[in-house]
């Protein structure tokens, strides 16, 4: 995310990027201040306000396995389910069981560079 050009790997078709809030040391409790820092950093990098669904998904994360997953368009789950953004609250055993967001993609949210999208 730190680069000017951001892209999923061409060599790894199942590339994915996951964001989750920081947690209080040694606890399963999200540290609210780290969520605010993450959202502000994403907004600065992408030039877009955080989508309400993204922020709401971050608020629902209660376990360290929870997060918002951005899948490459070539990712097996993205192809199978027709969605490339998944919201995982942390209680799921498999990413495939997370809620999909059909109205967004890593490219639309400027997580990856538009010119590098495949």
């Amino acid at each position: 995310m730190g680069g000017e050009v951001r892209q999923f790997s061409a060599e790894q078709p199942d590339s994915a990027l996951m964001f989750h809030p920081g947690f209080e040391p040694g606890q399963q409790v999200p540290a609210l201040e780290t969520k605010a820092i993450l959202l502000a950093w994403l907004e600065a990098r992408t030039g877009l306000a955080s989508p309400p669904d993204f922020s709401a998904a971050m608020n629902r994360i209660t376990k360290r396995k929870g997060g918002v997953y951005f899948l490459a368009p070539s990712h097996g789950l993205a192809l199978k389910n027709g969605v490339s953004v998944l919201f995982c609250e942390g209680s799921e055993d498999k990413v495939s069981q997370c809620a999909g967001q059909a109205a967004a993609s890593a490219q639309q949210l400027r997580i990856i560079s538009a010119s590098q999208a495949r």
Side-chain angles (χ1 to χ4, degrees):
M1 275 300 292
E4 290 302 314
V5 175
R6 299 175 302 275
Q7 63 188 36
F8 287 117
S9 171
E11 288 80 35
Q12 299 292 325
D14 280 354
S15 294
L17 178 63
M18 189 269 276
F19 293 101
H20 63 83
F23 284 79
E24 295 293 342
Q27 299 180 35
Q28 283 282 15
V29 180
L32 296 179
E33 65 275 7
T34 61
K35 184 189 92 163
I37 291 168
L38 172 63
L39 293 177
W41 185 78
L42 282 171
E43 289 176 4
R45 292 301 305 146
T46 63
L48 297 173
S50 293
D53 289 347
F54 183 93
S55 185
M58 295 294 278
N59 287 335
R60 289 190 302 269
I61 295 170
T62 59
K63 296 185 180 177
R64 292 185 185 271
K65 292 183 181 179
V68 179
Y69 288 79
F70 294 93
L71 309 177
S74 56
H75 193 288
L77 284 176
L79 294 172
K80 179 180 177 183
N81 298 329
V83 296
S84 62
V85 180
L86 298 169
F87 298 135
C88 303
E89 296 179 18
S91 58
E92 299 80 5
D93 292 326
K94 297 180 181 180
V95 174
S96 61
Q97 296 172 346
C98 298
Q101 174 61 36
S105 72
Q107 180 181 351
Q108 290 165 327
L109 298 175
R110 296 187 189 165
I111 298 295
I112 64 166
S113 302
S115 62
Q116 300 298 318
R118 302 186 285 123

